[in-house]
C-alpha cells in the first residue's frame, strides 16, 4: 500500500474512498483510531492508502475529480 493523501476532512476522505472503490482500487484509511482518540483538534490527519501498483491510476482519478491539490507530493 502507498499513501495517496492525508486529510482531516471526513467528507473529502469519504469521497476519495468512494472514487477508489468505484475504480476497483484497493483502499484503506489509516490512522482513523488515532484521529478519534486525539479528539477534534485535528492534530493527526487520516491517510488514504491505495494499492502500490495502482498509485498512478489513483492519482489520475484524483486529478480528474479536481482533487489534485489534496495529493501527497
Amino acid at each position: 500500500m502507498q499513501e495517496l493523501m492525508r486529510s482531516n476532512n471526513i467528507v473529502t476522505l469519504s469521497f476519495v474512498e468512494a472514487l477508489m472503490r468505484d475504480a476497483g482500487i484497493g483502499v484503506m484509511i489509516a490512522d482513523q483510531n488515532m484521529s478519534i482518540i486525539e479528539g477534534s483538534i485535528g492534530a493527526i490527519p487520516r491517510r488514504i492508502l491505495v494499492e502500490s501498483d495502482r498509485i498512478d491510476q489513483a492519482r489520475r482519478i484524483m486529478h480528474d475529480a479536481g482533487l489534485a491539490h489534496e495529493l501527497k507530493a
Side-chain angles (χ1 to χ4, degrees), residues 14-27 50-51 54 57-58 61 65:
S14 179
F15 180 53
V16 172
E17 183 179 21
L19 287 172
M20 297 306 128
R21 290 193 192 280
D22 287 349
I25 298 174
V27 62
V50 296
E51 298 171 277
R54 303 197 58 195
Q57 180 185 6
I61 290 168

Side-chain angles (χ1 to χ4, degrees):
M1 300 291 272
Q2 223 175 335
E3 184 177 337
L4 181 66
M5 63 166 286
R6 292 177 187 215
S7 180
N8 287 321
N9 185 325
I10 59 171
V11 174
T12 300
L13 291 165
S14 179
F15 180 53
V16 172
E17 183 179 21
L19 287 172
M20 297 306 128
R21 290 193 192 280
D22 287 349
I25 298 174
V27 62
M28 180 179 96
I29 298 181
D31 304 323
Q32 234 171 295
N33 291 336
M34 289 303 295
S35 184
I36 291 168
I37 289 170
E38 59 91 20
S40 60
I41 62 172
I44 302 173
R46 297 174 191 174
R47 296 176 294 144
I48 291 197
L49 307 174
V50 296
E51 298 171 277
S52 296
D53 60 337
R54 303 197 58 195
I55 189 74
D56 292 332
Q57 180 185 6
R59 291 177 69 79
R60 278 192 304 276
I61 290 168
M62 292 275 294
H63 187 271
D64 292 347
L67 296 170
H69 63 282
E70 295 282 352
L71 289 169
K72 183 175 188 300

